[in-house]
Amino acid sequence: MAVFYLVAFLSIFFSLLVIFSKNPVHSVIYLIITFFTFTIHYVLLNAQFLAIVNFIVYMGAIMVLFLYVLMLLDLNVNSEPVKSSLMKIAGIVAGMCLLVTLAGALKGSGFLPAGAHEEVVQRPNLGLVKNLGQVLFHDFLLPFEVSSLLLLSAMVGAVLLAKREPREI
Amino acid sequence: MNALITISVLAVLVLYLGLYKANKALLPVTLLGLAVALFFTINHWNVFTGPTFNDMMSYDNFAVAFSGITITSTMLILLLSKGYFEKISDHVAEYYSIILFSLAGILVMVSYHNMTMLFIGIEIMSVSLYILAGIRKQDFASNEAALKYFLMGAFSTGFLLFGVALIYGAAHSFDLEAIKMHLETNLQTGQAISPLFYTGVVLMAVGMAFKVGAAPFHFWTPDVYEGSPSLITAFMSTVVKTAGFAAFLRLFATCFYPLHDFWMPVILVITIITLFAGNITALYQNNFKRMLAWSSISHAGYMLFAIVSLGSEASYGVFVYAIAYSAASIIAFAGLVLMQANTGSDSFDSFNGLGRKNPFLAFTLTVAMLSLAGIPLTAGFIGKFIMFSNALSSMHTWLVVLAVINAVISIFYYFRVIVAMYFKDAERAELEIPLNFKVVLAISVVATILIGIWPAFLPNVI
C-alpha cells in the first residue's frame, strides 16, 4: 500500500505542476512524468498490457506529438494571449461540471451489475499479457486481422495526401 | 467472407498495378474483381447456418442483400470514373484502392454480429472516406470537406465507442445475440436494466445518426458533399448511406429490439427533424450538388421510418428504398459530373435547355428526379410506399402525415431541375456523353422503372 500512496501522491503532484507551470514545454514534460506514474499504477494493478500500452502510446507517441506541435507553434510567454475573465469563469464551470460528474459516477458505482467487482478480484490475472493474447488471438482474431485493412488504408491515404503533386490542377 | 477477402486482395492488387504504371488496366481489373466479389456474395443467398468466426460475422440474407446493393452501386460509380481521377492527379491507382478499402469496411458493417466488428467496419469506411473527400489537394473546398468530415467523424466515433463500452459494462458482451438475451432475461425476470445500458443505446443512436447524416447531427453533410469531388460524393451519398442504414437497422432491429419502447421516441424525433431540415433547406438551394446533399438528408429521414416502426417489412423496406435511392442518385450524380466537366457550373441554370439538346440525358435525369420525389411508376414510389405502409401498420399515422407533407415539399425542388431542362431555353452546345455514362444511365433507369412497375421482382429479404 505504501507504494500506492507514494505513486498516487506523485501523480497528483505532477498533474498540478502540469497546470501551474508557466512554460508549456515544462508542462508537457511534467505530463510525461504524470503518465509514467500512471504506468506504475497499472503495474501495481497487475494490468501489464495497459501498462505497456500506456508507456509506449501515451508517453511515447502522443507526447512526442505534443512536443512537436509546441515546437511548430513556437509558444512563449509573450505571445500567449491574455485569458479574459469570461474564459476563466467558463473554465471553472466546466471543471466543476466534471467534478460533479466524477463524484456522481463514483457514488453511482452501485449501478455496476453485481459480480463486476468480484470478477476482477477472483481473477487477479485478468490483465496479464498472456490472457489478453489468448482472447485477442482466439475469440477476437477476425477483428484483429480486419483492423490491418484499416491501418493499410490509412497508410495509403496518408502517403497519397502528403505526396507532392508534380503538376498543378 | 470470400467477398471481403476478394475485395481486400483486389485493393492491394490495384496498388501493385499502380506501382507498375498499368493505368489502363486499373478500371477493368477493379470491375472484374468486384464482379467476382458480387458472385461470391450472391452465392451466400439462403445458405445461412449461423454466425461464423467465433460469432463475429453473420452472413444472413440481410447481409447478402445489402452487400449486393453496395457492391453493385460501387461498380456503377466506378464505371463513371473512367478518365475522372486522371484529371485530379497521377496517382489513380491509390484512389481505386481506397474506394475498395472503403467497400471492404462496408461489407463488414452490413454483416457484423459483434460490436467490435461494427466499430472496425465503420472505421475502415470512414478513414477511407476522409481521404477520398480531400483528394483535390489544391482545392480549398475539398480540403475543408476532408477536415470537417474528419473532425466530425472522429467526434461521432467517440460517441459510438462510448456507447459500445457502456453497453459492454451492462451486458458483459459485445455479441449482438448475447446482448439481446441479456435484455430479454432481464425484462422477463423483472430485473432492472442498468442505466448504463440506456445511456449506451442513446449514445450509439447518436453515433449512427452522425454516420448516416440524420438531423440534428447532419451539419457536416452539405459542406462535405459539396466540397468533395462529385464522384466521391456519389459514393458517399449512395453506398455509404446504404451501409450506414444497414448497420443501424441490424443493431436496433435485432439487438436492441426488446427496448423498443425506450428508444423509439428518440428515433422518432430524429426522423421528424431530419425530414423537415432536409426538405425545407433543400428548397432554398440554387446549386444542384448542394440540393442533392440536402435531399440526401431528407432521404435519410424516410429510411429512418424502418427503424421507428420495426415490423416484418422493415429490412425489405430499407432494401427497396436503398436500391431506389441509389439508382436515382447515381443518375443525378452522373448528370452532375457531365455538367461540371462540360460547363464547369453546377447551378440549376446550367441545366437550361438540356431537354432539346440531350434528350436521353434529360430523360434519365427526369426519371431520377421523379423517383427521388416518389412519383408512382418509379422505384422511389415503391420505396416510400413500403415505408409508409409499414409506419401505418405500427400506428404512426401522424408521422406518415408529416412525411407526406415533406414529400410534397420535395416535389417542388426536384421539379426545378425538370423545369429547367424542358421549359427554359438557353443557347447551349450538345453535351458529349461517353459510352460508359450511357451504360450506367441506362442500367439505373431500367432498374428504377422496373422496380417501379414490378416490385415483386426483388426478393423479400426476411
Side-chain angles (χ1 to χ4, degrees), chain B residues 127-454:
Chain B
V127 166
S128 314
L129 287 178
Y130 304 150
I131 299 154
L132 287 173
I135 54 175
R136 275 212 177 119
K137 279 186 265 182
Q138 312 288 331
D139 180 21
F140 278 117
S142 180
N143 295 350
E144 185 202 349
L147 187 66
K148 214 170 223 173
Y149 198 17
F150 174 63
L151 292 177
M152 289 294 178
F155 199 57
S156 69
T157 303
F159 276 97
L160 192 75
L161 204 54
F162 196 17
V164 172
L166 288 181
I167 286 170
Y168 182 75
H172 299 249
S173 179
F174 287 127
D175 191 70
L176 297 191
E177 202 57 43
I179 294 170
K180 192 181 178 189
M181 287 297 288
H182 167 82
L183 283 179
E184 277 172 350
T185 42
N186 272 23
L187 287 174
Q188 273 166 12
T189 54
Q191 240 178 326
I193 293 169
S194 162
L196 291 180
F197 200 99
Y198 292 107
T199 322
V201 170
V202 173
L203 285 173
M204 286 197 83
V206 170
M208 294 307 293
F210 254 115
K211 292 291 175 197
V212 298
F217 312 106
H218 64 286
F219 290 102
W220 56 272
T221 321
D223 291 334
V224 172
Y225 280 19
E226 196 187 356
S228 310
S230 296
L231 213 59
I232 302 301
T233 311
F235 184 73
M236 283 193 221
S237 73
T238 56
V239 181
V240 171
K241 200 150 255 192
T242 309
F245 271 101
F248 205 159
L249 189 66
R250 190 180 265 263
L251 187 66
F252 279 78
T254 59
C255 185
F256 299 152
Y257 180 70
L259 280 184
H260 187 244
D261 293 337
F262 164 70
W263 51 258
M264 197 275 288
V266 179
I267 308 282
L268 187 68
V269 171
I270 291 180
T271 309
I272 294 169
I273 300 175
T274 308
L275 282 175
F276 277 100
N279 279 315
I280 292 177
T281 325
L283 272 183
Y284 293 100
Q285 306 302 323
N286 285 318
N287 178 313
F288 184 60
K289 197 172 175 186
R290 215 173 162 81
M291 185 277 275
L292 283 178
W294 283 102
S295 97
S296 89
I297 294 174
S298 73
H299 284 286
Y302 293 117
M303 288 205 244
L304 279 171
F305 267 60
I307 297 165
V308 171
S309 50
L310 286 176
S312 54
E313 297 276 283
S315 305
Y316 182 59
V318 173
F319 179 60
V320 175
Y321 204 100
I323 294 179
Y325 171 69
S326 298
S329 292
I330 288 172
I331 299 175
F333 277 103
L336 178 68
V337 169
L338 280 176
M339 194 55 75
Q340 279 179 331
N342 282 283
T343 63
S345 153
D346 49 10
S347 68
F348 283 123
D349 294 334
S350 58
F351 286 89
N352 287 357
L354 195 69
R356 195 160 300 161
K357 290 284 180 189
N358 291 76
F360 175 65
L361 180 63
F363 168 72
T364 52
L365 272 173
T366 308
V367 172
M369 290 299 133
L370 294 178
S371 177
L372 286 173
I375 306 293
L377 293 185
T378 58
F381 172 74
I382 304 293
K384 279 202 177 64
F385 179 78
I386 296 172
M387 289 293 181
F388 290 177
S389 64
N390 209 0
L392 281 178
S393 66
S394 60
M395 309 309 276
H396 292 295
T397 316
W398 54 276
L399 176 64
V400 174
V401 173
L402 288 178
V404 170
I405 293 173
N406 273 290
V408 174
I409 297 175
S410 75
I411 289 174
F412 182 77
Y413 59 79
Y414 289 127
F415 271 59
R416 279 176 72 180
V417 182
I418 300 176
V419 168
M421 285 190 300
Y422 286 105
F423 300 107
K424 285 188 185 163
D425 268 335
E427 286 299 312
R428 64 176 310 139
E430 189 181 337
L431 294 186
E432 199 182 316
I433 307 176
L435 180 68
N436 54 337
F437 275 77
K438 279 185 186 151
V439 171
V440 171
L441 290 173
I443 293 174
S444 307
V445 165
V446 168
T448 304
I449 294 177
L450 186 65
I451 295 169
I453 296 171
W454 186 34

